[in-house]
Amino acid sequence: MTHPPAGFDTASIGRWISQRFGVSDFDVEVMSIGRSNLTFTITVDGRPRWVLRRPPLGHEGGSAHNVAREGRIMAALTDSAVPVPTVLDIVDDPEVLDVPFVFMDHCPGFAINTPSDWSSIPDESKPDCAFGMIDALAAIHSVDIDAVGLGDLRRPGGLIERQLRRWLGQVEQIATRETPMIHEVHDVLLKSMPDPAGSPVGLAHGDFKPNNMIFAPGGGLNAVVDWELTAVGEVLTDLGYFIAMLTVPEEYTSIWVPTPADGFPDTEALIARYQEVSGHEVHDVGYYSAFAMWKLACIREGVYTRLKTGQMGDLDLDPDVAGEGVEDLAGQALTLLERP
């Protein structure tokens, strides 16, 4: 390989692949690279064979980029009803790579990132594709975390309570301006939080949306990926997030998602399907969607701050536009919270 991609040490990883799998001739392609975990496809004889996932460049710790934890979760779900890539190894050896990485079989298919991705699925299969996402979400939430060895992911207190505290703390730590809307919505979310005792608790993916899944050409779901934010807690946070991502303007997330105008089922149909297959009584969806939008506002404030301080110089974004998105997202969350 003439120009190995940044973050992939071809020599040392190549030795490890040769020793582990008996293959010495391969190529590497970047699947995704940026501020999230980095993903590389390893091809043999011109065909994708493996995937390597590692922390981002300049990684300095933090659970959101803990690929070993992510790999462990996927490995634990291998024999469950949740479709996941096949994890072959979780490596933490500085002689192979200076950071831990997860090594997986390549899962064929595509994520839904653009209108053309969605349009490649036959129209008659689009509803089944969408409901297949909901079925996968219900499967995640039905996992017996103790039986699969993930019981240690439990943390004291409710998931929403923990995340309200965590996200507000992060905003207060990095913000370079007053953030009244974030604080106002936080206070309303805290005051109107559903009783955790009345909410189903289980494994929550944390970032469940169409571009974090791999689909077959006909729309069948091959795997759910990107388990960086997985936790144990109120599972309806996942459903609220999924629904929120279908309604938040693309300019605030940089993510395209299909809508009912594109042949995607409406919110009521998605909720009904989830309730049917999960057995959970769905309640307070507006609250959980508002909670998701508030988190997106917090993330947007971080983007604004880094743009203002020159820490995202590689992105051609207007800081003021990013800043306006914070107010809009928080305002949408507040509107949802104020609905009867």
Side-chain angles (χ1 to χ4, degrees):
M1 181 179 301
T2 306
H3 300 291
F8 192 102
D9 187 333
T10 305
S12 60
I13 294 175
R15 286 192 296 271
W16 178 81
I17 291 175
S18 179
Q19 294 168 2
R20 180 79 163 72
F21 301 100
V23 174
S24 57
D25 187 12
F26 63 86
D27 289 301
V28 180
E29 300 174 359
V30 176
M31 182 183 298
S32 66
I33 192 164
R35 291 164 185 80
S36 184
N37 289 330
L38 314 184
T39 310
F40 305 93
T41 301
I42 300 166
T43 63
V44 179
D45 296 329
R47 296 182 178 180
R49 181 159 176 182
W50 299 300
V51 169
L52 184 149
R53 189 159 164 85
R54 55 149 290 168
L57 302 176
H59 173 64
E60 296 180 355
S63 61
H65 299 310
N66 189 337
V67 295
R69 178 180 183 274
E70 182 183 14
R72 178 186 163 227
I73 291 169
M74 288 189 289
L77 297 175
T78 297
D79 295 325
S80 74
V82 181
V84 291
T86 300
V87 175
L88 300 174
D89 212 340
I90 301 170
V91 181
D92 187 2
D93 184 347
E95 293 189 1
V96 181
L97 193 62
D98 59 348
V99 292
F101 66 90
V102 178
F103 202 78
M104 302 169 273
D105 275 336
H106 176 265
C107 181
F110 62 96
I112 296 174
N113 289 299
T114 66
S116 61
D117 294 329
W118 179 244
S119 64
S120 70
I121 298 172
D123 288 345
E124 63 273 16
S125 300
K126 285 180 168 63
D128 286 342
C129 175
F131 289 132
M133 300 182 207
I134 294 297
D135 293 352
L137 188 62
I140 293 170
H141 296 166
S142 69
V143 168
D144 184 332
I145 58 175
D146 293 309
V148 300
L150 296 177
D152 61 319
L153 295 182
R154 290 189 182 91
R155 295 292 181 269
L159 177 60
I160 293 176
E161 181 183 4
R162 297 197 307 269
Q163 292 206 350
L164 283 171
R165 181 171 58 249
R166 174 184 177 185
W167 283 103
L168 184 65
Q170 288 184 356
V171 168
E172 292 178 336
Q173 183 178 10
I174 68 170
T176 58
R177 62 177 182 170
E178 296 295 321
T179 56
M181 279 294 290
I182 284 180
H183 284 74
E184 179 182 354
V185 177
H186 166 273
D187 293 347
V188 177
L189 285 166
L190 187 61
K191 182 179 179 180
S192 57
M193 182 171 55
D195 182 0
S199 297
V201 172
L203 194 67
H205 181 274
D207 197 15
F208 193 84
K209 57 186 188 291
N211 74 333
N212 279 340
M213 306 175 214
I214 301 174
F215 298 90
L221 181 54
N222 287 344
V224 179
V225 297
D226 285 5
W227 296 82
E228 298 176 53
L229 301 178
T230 299
V232 172
E234 299 95 310
V235 297
L236 293 181
T237 56
D238 270 345
L239 182 62
Y241 177 81
F242 184 73
I243 290 170
M245 292 301 294
L246 300 176
T247 59
V248 172
E250 183 180 348
E251 61 265 28
Y252 296 154
T253 63
S254 301
I255 297 168
W256 182 88
V257 294
T259 68
D262 304 302
F264 208 80
D266 61 21
T267 297
E268 289 73 19
L270 295 171
I271 292 173
R273 177 64 168 235
Y274 177 83
Q275 191 160 264
E276 175 188 352
V277 297
S278 70
H280 295 317
E281 181 181 350
V282 175
H283 59 82
D284 298 304
V285 174
Y287 177 92
Y288 295 114
S289 293
F291 174 64
M293 289 183 179
W294 178 79
K295 286 200 301 180
L296 291 171
C298 293
I299 293 170
R300 195 78 178 176
E301 182 65 28
V303 172
Y304 165 81
T305 300
R306 290 192 292 274
L307 285 168
K308 274 291 192 181
T309 55
Q311 298 177 49
M312 297 179 75
D314 58 329
L315 289 184
D316 185 19
L317 292 177
D318 184 335
D320 294 329
V321 173
E324 291 171 0
V326 175
E327 296 289 316
D328 288 347
L329 286 166
Q332 289 183 51
L334 194 58
T335 298
L336 284 173
L337 289 168
E338 291 174 344
R339 288 178 181 171

